[in-house]
Amino acid sequence: MAVIVILARGRCDLSRCITYYLVSMAVTDLLVIINVVILDRIAGIYFPFSFLFITPVCCFRIALNFAMIDCSVCVTVAFTFDRCIAICYQKLKMKYCTKKTAAWVIGTVCTLSCLINSFRYYIHEHLYIIDNVPWFCNIKLIFYTSPALIAYDCIGHIFTPCLPFILILLLNVLTVKHILAASRARRRLTANNNRGTQNNPEMGKRRKSIVLLFCISGSFILLYLPHLTNFLYVRIVKLNYFSGSNFKESNIILDQSGLMLQLLCSCVNPFIYAGTQTKFREELKNGVKYPLRLIVKLFK
């Protein structure tokens, strides 16, 4: 929440285009944490018979969970693409890297993510019926045998995280390649400069860009890799998950570990994209100090 407030105030010396992407990433990551972590995982452990687990509500939450995760991933890819255009294609930058385009792209990818995952509402059924009330959600067995549903699931996993995997890798490789080429050219131009390149602010910005890009690609790949591995393993071995599975089995441990790391990606994204900005850190410090100053004034 603090990330959203600080970025929305627009005091981090960032363009409106970048701010739109950063705010959208922070919002979608927060929604993932609220829906998947709090309302699904934590509520499932401590409040298993709350209204959240009545079958229609449960099915809606599952579809919403997938939609929010896809929104978070797609906005991350959109931001990576925007930065690639801004760094590598200066002529296209003036037309594409605008706040209007950013708003249109964010709205489009989020809408598509919600529409694609809305069908997940219909692939679950009740697990128990207590006093004529259906409880919990269980994946229908036809989901593992129907060619149409198998194709839908495969397309969903290609959409997230397979395709983002490939796109983020390619975009970051292209961007880093351009930055390194520009850095070599700049070093040649400043070779005879008495100041050198160590204290050159432009070179410092380029180094920060390289570090940021490696953090983006590295965190996404490492944290989503177990989830992707589990998907491939389930499809190759043809495993079926159902309520009552033994959570000590290796395949269940792999599935839950992949989910945990996938959710962790939503937690670290705000720190990667916004926390590395100097102005952001200053605004965060000011936000922490402000209530302390008020308390000090009250006691004076």
Side-chain angles (χ1 to χ4, degrees):
M1 184 64 71
V3 175
I4 299 173
V5 173
I6 292 173
L7 291 173
R9 295 179 67 187
R11 297 182 180 181
C12 296
D13 288 343
L14 299 171
S15 67
R16 297 299 298 172
C17 174
I18 296 176
T19 300
Y20 276 24
Y21 282 111
L22 294 180
V23 171
S24 64
M25 281 188 287
V27 170
T28 53
D29 288 336
L30 179 62
L31 291 176
V32 170
I33 294 172
I34 292 174
N35 286 287
V36 184
V37 178
I38 298 176
L39 297 182
D40 187 63
R41 311 299 292 184
I42 296 178
I45 296 173
Y46 295 101
F47 309 100
F49 283 94
S50 65
F51 77 97
L52 293 172
F53 295 93
I54 297 175
T55 300
V57 180
C58 181
C59 292
F60 174 77
R61 287 193 304 100
I62 290 175
L64 185 63
N65 290 347
F66 278 95
M68 292 300 100
I69 291 174
D70 284 0
C71 285
S72 176
V73 173
C74 290
V75 173
T76 302
V77 175
F79 174 73
T80 307
F81 181 75
D82 178 87
R83 291 300 87 203
C84 179
I85 294 296
I87 295 173
C88 301
Y89 304 97
Q90 294 297 317
K91 293 182 179 179
L92 186 59
K93 174 183 176 180
M94 300 303 295
K95 295 182 179 179
Y96 182 83
C97 300
T98 63
K99 62 180 183 180
K100 183 178 180 179
T101 302
W104 182 85
V105 170
I106 293 168
T108 300
V109 297
C110 289
T111 301
L112 288 176
S113 296
C114 292
L115 289 176
I116 292 173
N117 287 286
S118 62
F119 296 99
R120 293 188 178 274
Y121 179 90
Y122 302 100
I123 64 177
H124 293 83
E125 60 184 359
H126 65 269
L127 187 61
Y128 305 109
I129 294 181
I130 303 175
D131 295 332
N132 294 323
V133 178
W135 286 91
F136 305 110
C137 294
N138 193 37
I139 298 178
K140 297 177 181 178
L141 291 179
I142 194 175
F143 180 74
Y144 296 99
T145 58
S146 171
L149 292 177
I150 292 174
Y152 172 75
D153 188 49
C154 290
I155 292 173
H157 281 82
I158 290 173
F159 187 70
T160 302
C162 297
L163 184 59
F165 245 79
I166 298 172
L167 289 176
I168 286 181
L169 275 175
L170 292 178
L171 291 171
N172 279 280
V173 167
L174 179 62
T175 306
V176 171
K177 182 180 178 181
H178 179 87
I179 290 174
L180 293 176
S183 297
R184 286 194 296 267
R186 186 174 183 84
R187 280 197 297 270
R188 288 194 296 266
L189 291 173
T190 59
N192 297 323
N193 194 321
N194 293 330
R195 294 179 299 176
T197 60
Q198 294 298 324
N199 297 322
N200 192 317
E202 185 65 24
M203 294 300 296
K205 291 181 181 179
R206 292 183 183 279
R207 282 192 292 268
K208 288 182 180 180
S209 298
I210 294 174
V211 171
L212 180 60
L213 289 172
F214 274 116
C215 288
I216 293 170
S217 57
S219 65
F220 184 88
I221 292 171
L222 290 176
L223 295 176
Y224 267 80
L225 184 58
H227 174 68
L228 180 60
T229 303
N230 179 71
F231 165 71
L232 297 175
Y233 175 71
V234 168
R235 285 305 175 190
I236 293 173
V237 183
K238 296 182 179 180
L239 290 175
N240 291 344
Y241 292 123
F242 56 92
S243 295
S245 297
N246 186 0
F247 284 90
K248 293 183 179 180
E249 294 179 3
S250 58
N251 58 302
I252 301 296
I253 294 174
L254 177 62
D255 176 63
Q256 294 300 307
S257 299
L259 176 61
M260 179 186 68
L261 294 175
Q262 183 185 35
L263 297 178
L264 181 62
C265 187
S266 295
C267 298
V268 301
N269 272 345
F271 296 96
I272 293 175
Y273 292 106
T276 55
Q277 301 295 319
T278 303
K279 287 291 184 178
F280 176 85
R281 292 195 295 270
E282 292 177 358
E283 289 293 321
L284 183 61
K285 291 178 182 178
N286 292 333
V288 174
K289 293 178 181 178
Y290 182 74
L292 298 177
R293 292 172 182 170
L294 291 179
I295 294 174
V296 172
K297 288 181 179 180
L298 288 175
F299 285 95
K300 280 186 178 180

